[in-house]
Amino acid sequence: MTEFVKLDSFDRKLIARARANNLEPARVTADAVGLSESAVLRRMRRLRAEGVIVRDVAVVDPGRIAPHMTIHVLVRFPSRDRARGTAFKAAMKVSREVQAAWDVTGEWDYLLNVAVPNMEAYEAFCERALGDDAGVEDFQSMITIREIVAFDPSRAPLAG
């Protein structure tokens, strides 16, 4: 079972600021949240050490680098075969096209977020990852036309 970390109001303020801009200087954060710079640095180290902050990343706009397509894929297996599910999950974790994947409830078993440069690349992904060898019964593709709200983890509220 997950061991939860107790957060006080200062921790929550620090997390909110780091989620919005993890490169903000500690002195600016300190002024904004009402702590000393050393207290901010100490708390941020603790939040990282306790696994609350798991990594610092740069969010890159892939559309500025090269053309790409985002496709959401619903995947269904013929039965709840644990070994087949474990193999599928492992394959999705190492597939460069898969940006995110979830176990889901309902008539489908998995939801994938796939990014590819073009339809030919998507077809190759489908043959490799969703073909007969993977044991997939069926899949449904939903091609993104345009983004309305960008994925932004900082939008999600922290549990209170």
Side-chain angles (χ1 to χ4, degrees):
M1 185 168 174
T2 301
E3 192 173 316
F4 293 98
V5 175
K6 288 197 174 225
L7 303 175
D8 65 17
S9 63
F10 287 115
D11 292 331
R12 291 181 186 287
K13 290 176 187 176
L14 292 173
I15 291 168
R17 295 190 72 83
R19 289 172 79 188
N21 178 7
N22 72 340
L23 293 179
E24 181 176 77
R27 65 181 157 61
V28 174
T29 304
D31 288 342
V33 301
L35 289 172
S36 69
E37 187 174 344
S38 62
V40 166
L41 292 169
R42 189 171 47 256
R43 284 173 177 259
M44 293 300 285
R45 274 194 303 275
R46 179 182 56 80
L47 291 169
R48 286 181 174 91
E50 292 178 340
V52 174
I53 297 174
V54 294
R55 63 184 177 186
D56 296 296
V57 299
V59 178
V60 176
D61 180 355
R64 304 277 299 177
I65 298 170
H68 78 285
M69 301 173 65
T70 300
I71 304 170
H72 302 280
V73 185
L74 292 165
V75 180
R76 180 175 32 239
F77 280 87
S79 66
R80 292 283 184 188
D81 179 343
R82 185 178 299 259
R84 184 173 282 163
T86 299
F88 180 75
K89 291 174 193 177
M92 295 304 97
K93 287 179 182 179
V94 298
S95 177
R96 300 289 294 161
E97 297 92 344
V98 177
Q99 303 301 294
W102 301 269
D103 280 315
V104 294
T105 62
E107 70 178 273
W108 299 95
D109 298 311
Y110 300 99
L111 170 61
L112 310 177
N113 179 297
V114 176
V116 291
N118 53 46
M119 284 307 293
E120 291 79 20
Y122 182 61
E123 183 177 23
F125 166 78
C126 290
E127 288 175 10
R128 184 185 79 249
L130 306 175
D132 292 337
D133 291 344
V136 171
E137 177 184 336
D138 193 15
F139 67 93
Q140 179 179 337
S141 305
M142 295 174 281
I143 300 170
T144 302
I145 296 170
R146 73 186 57 81
E147 185 174 74
I148 297 170
V149 177
F151 173 73
D152 181 358
S154 69
R155 289 174 51 98
L158 291 176

